[in-house]
Amino acid sequence: MPRRRTPHRHQQRTQQELSETSLGERQLGTVVTRYGAKLDIEDEHGQRHRGTSRRKLDDIVCGDKIIWQANKAGEAVVVERLERTNLLSRPNDRGHAKSIAANINHVIVISVVKGHLGDAYQLNLNLIDHYLVAAENQNITPVLVFNKVDLLTEEEFERLGRDIETFKQIGYEIIYTSTKTERGLEPLETQLKDNTSIFVGESGVGKSSLINKLLPEIDVKVGEISELSGKGKHTTTTTMLYHLPCGGELIDSPGVREFGLMLKEQMSIARGFREFQPHLGLCKFNNCSHMHEPGCVIMQAVDAGKIEQRRYNNYRRMVDALTEV
Ligand code: GDP
Ligand code: ZN
């Protein structure tokens, strides 16, 4: 039996419908944050407005480009969501994808080799591959940042250069930074300028420290909104879009910061390995998994030293992990 609408809810509906007939002009905007059902929207002049979205548009996230209209109460009502270039999500407690942010074109992948898990030199190249595959699949340009280089001896710094040589060879931008000596902040700002970026990396690598360097004073408008919500400036747990003084936007999301980008079932691991791309489609079998088939051009390239053995091994590991049930 269908659930009967309570009179109260019916009344709410009617009121909503009434107010929607008297909405203001349609305007373009960007969602800068979302707290449950409430949204903060920035209009084309940089002005921020509190708002909500129509019920059927309940998947609006930070970074979404939207059309909104003012209602009589002065609130912004999102009436339409424009097409997204991508949508980042992270697994929730039950392992389902939870949407976090949209329309990101740069991901800053932060790693350290020291000052994270003790004093020994330690570099997790496979984790970097993982971030890269997710980024490539979402058409997001990754930038590799190695932070805390102030802790490295000259020998260790040279070793790092050798360890990440492959990433450089296959065309990734690499920046060495230190929030202590401020090394590398300018090249990082150059990468952030003109883009909408997100920072990812394990806990303790210095994401918050770098963000604080780039955003010494958070946009006044954000400050106002933080006050309204009763939340502190940088202690917020919600995903927020910030304008960087150097230009460009930063979407800061505690969820994405920790979990990185989610590898989804339908993602192509092979496509995520940039150096595989020129070879894709040339294997003997057009559905080649590049794992065991005869006539596999990828495996031939590995044997010929054109594709690094470590990257290929990690490709296999990632395919196995994704197909495991
Ligand atoms: P997050 O968890 O990735 O946000 O990392 P934090 O920004 O909280 O930094 C973790 C610790 O590393 C803090 O104690 C920072 O002071 C320290 N840290 C951050 N950047 C650097 C750096 O460039 N050099 C050194 N030596 N320590 C840093
Ligand atoms: Zn193949």
Side-chain angles (χ1 to χ4, degrees):
M1 201 179 95
R3 208 157 65 90
R4 237 167 56 90
R5 240 190 227 155
T6 63
H8 176 65
R9 203 161 147 205
H10 178 70
Q11 212 176 355
Q12 270 188 341
R13 247 290 154 79
T14 321
Q15 266 172 7
Q16 188 186 11
E17 277 158 16
L18 260 178
S19 66
E20 286 190 8
T21 57
S22 55
L23 291 176
E25 59 171 321
R26 286 164 62 87
Q27 299 186 57
L28 263 176
T30 304
V31 175
V32 293
T33 194
R34 178 176 171 176
Y35 316 91
K38 291 278 172 202
L39 303 167
D40 287 331
I41 289 154
E42 189 175 274
D43 66 23
E44 288 184 287
H45 311 289
Q47 204 63 42
R48 298 200 173 190
H49 309 265
R50 260 294 144 86
T52 54
S53 75
R54 281 203 177 142
R55 215 160 300 187
K56 63 180 170 154
L57 293 173
D58 61 357
D59 66 336
I60 301 281
V61 295
C62 188
D64 264 327
K65 304 286 177 203
I66 46 94
I67 306 285
W68 64 280
Q69 294 175 271
N71 68 12
K72 277 203 167 142
E75 268 194 338
V77 180
V78 177
V79 295
E80 197 180 325
R81 176 172 61 72
L82 304 187
E83 210 177 312
R84 292 167 172 149
T85 55
N86 54 41
L87 176 64
L88 299 191
S89 45
R90 70 171 179 88
N92 67 11
D93 299 340
R94 281 166 291 140
H96 297 140
K98 181 182 184 309
S99 303
I100 292 196
N103 299 320
I104 287 159
N105 56 9
H106 262 50
V107 59
I108 312 297
V109 178
I110 304 171
S111 315
V112 296
V113 292
K114 262 176 102 178
H116 166 45
L117 302 163
D119 278 343
Y121 181 104
Q122 204 170 345
L123 177 58
N124 190 345
L125 295 170
N126 291 358
L127 180 66
I128 297 176
D129 288 343
H130 196 281
Y131 286 133
L132 294 177
V133 169
E136 295 282 358
N137 270 273
Q138 297 259 35
N139 295 318
I140 303 175
T141 304
V143 174
L144 300 180
V145 168
F146 294 88
N147 189 37
K148 305 197 191 185
V149 291
D150 56 286
L151 297 175
L152 305 187
T153 62
E154 214 164 293
E155 289 79 46
E156 285 167 331
F157 188 73
E158 279 166 18
R159 178 174 168 195
L160 174 60
R162 286 194 301 277
D163 286 349
I164 61 173
E165 183 59 30
T166 302
F167 292 128
K168 201 182 234 170
Q169 274 173 10
I170 57 184
Y172 290 113
E173 192 71 43
I174 289 166
I175 304 176
Y176 300 106
T177 60
S178 164
T179 61
K180 298 276 185 263
T181 65
E182 309 215 327
R183 175 177 179 168
L185 294 185
E186 269 179 41
L188 179 56
E189 287 181 338
T190 306
Q191 288 298 321
L192 295 167
K193 207 160 102 26
D194 310 324
N195 290 304
T196 300
S197 310
I198 195 152
F199 279 37
V200 303
E202 288 177 289
S203 174
V205 296
K207 295 179 296 297
S208 314
S209 308
L210 280 166
I211 290 170
N212 287 333
K213 286 278 173 196
L214 298 162
L215 272 173
E217 280 176 66
I218 291 179
D219 200 320
V220 181
K221 290 174 217 134
V222 177
E224 284 164 10
I225 281 164
S226 302
E227 257 170 51
L228 276 175
S229 69
K231 284 184 177 147
K233 273 185 173 182
H234 239 165
T235 54
T236 177
T237 54
T238 41
T239 302
M240 293 249 190
L241 183 145
Y242 298 103
H243 295 284
L244 295 166
C246 65
E249 273 101 53
L250 169 72
I251 293 185
D252 186 25
S253 166
V256 171
R257 272 207 231 164
E258 294 302 316
F259 292 93
L261 309 169
M262 195 177 176
L263 280 187
K264 298 196 196 106
E265 229 75 352
Q266 73 274 20
M267 279 195 176
S268 160
I269 309 274
R271 195 174 91 83
F273 281 76
R274 192 180 267 195
E275 71 277 40
F276 289 15
Q277 287 176 11
H279 307 286
L280 295 178
L282 303 175
C283 299
K284 183 171 171 202
F285 300 105
N286 59 14
N287 63 346
C288 186
S289 70
H290 323 301
M291 299 282 269
H292 50 75
E293 293 87 342
C296 173
V297 173
I298 296 289
M299 286 193 276
Q300 285 164 12
V302 176
D303 288 340
K306 288 183 195 147
I307 289 175
E308 191 195 30
Q309 186 73 47
R310 185 205 65 79
R311 289 265 293 171
Y312 175 70
N313 292 348
N314 201 30
Y315 163 78
R316 296 185 63 100
R317 209 170 297 142
M318 285 167 75
V319 171
D320 283 339
L322 205 62
T323 48
E324 251 170 37
V325 189

